[in-house]
Amino acid sequence: MHKCLYTDMISFFYIYRKDTQVSLKRSYNDNKKRRYPSRRIISGDDWYTIQGYRAINQALGRCIRHKKDWGAIILLEERFNEKKNIEGLSKWIRKLCKIHDQGFDKAIKDLQTFVQGRMDIEFGYNVDIDQ
């Protein structure tokens, strides 16, 4: 039997911007990009953003590790209301994202419906999760 896991994300995981290694890497990329404009070199800012998404995607991937696993991933970060921020997520997460902007109660109801449906599939019968 597979287990249901739950992951919530409170904020972006950016590494410390003023860390010496981070500053050096950002400067290195910016210098390379300026020096070789015809090459496909990412800027220091782009590298920094990618590192944040890498950490987010790694954390979210811990929720579902097998094709028969299921779980809820809740991104409690206002920036995920913007499409550009959702596009930084892994494709398998991105295509399943739902933005809940109709209040907490509606989001919880949708979560209960999701869990109920998955439990019905998993166990082959209806389980009332409110009891």
Side-chain angles (χ1 to χ4, degrees), residues 81-129:
N81 283 328
E82 298 175 35
K83 186 175 181 172
K84 70 175 187 168
N85 292 323
I86 290 175
E87 288 174 357
L89 299 175
S90 297
K91 287 179 187 176
W92 69 273
I93 294 172
R94 191 182 325 146
K95 68 182 179 179
L96 299 171
C97 278
K98 291 182 183 178
I99 296 175
H100 289 279
D101 56 2
Q102 298 170 350
F104 181 77
D105 291 338
K106 172 75 169 112
I108 291 299
K109 184 66 178 156
D110 287 351
L111 178 60
Q112 287 174 328
T113 301
F114 166 75
V115 171
Q116 184 70 57
R118 293 307 307 180
M119 290 179 76
D120 289 351
I121 292 168
E122 182 81 18
F123 300 112
Y125 57 88
N126 194 357
V127 177
D128 187 355
I129 60 172

Side-chain angles (χ1 to χ4, degrees), residues 50-66:
I50 289 167
Q51 298 311 303
Y53 280 110
R54 181 175 290 138
I56 291 168
N57 286 315
Q58 184 178 27
L60 297 179
R62 295 187 191 295
C63 182
I64 300 172
R65 299 172 80 61
H66 183 273

Side-chain angles (χ1 to χ4, degrees), residues 12-36:
F12 275 79
F13 287 114
Y14 281 119
I15 50 182
Y16 184 55
R17 186 180 285 266
K18 294 184 179 184
D19 179 82
T20 304
Q21 288 183 323
V22 172
S23 296
L24 289 171
K25 174 61 176 167
R26 292 177 75 201
S27 294
Y28 175 81
N29 278 40
D30 287 341
N31 290 334
K32 279 279 203 194
K33 186 172 180 71
R34 268 192 304 274
R35 205 149 90 212
Y36 304 105

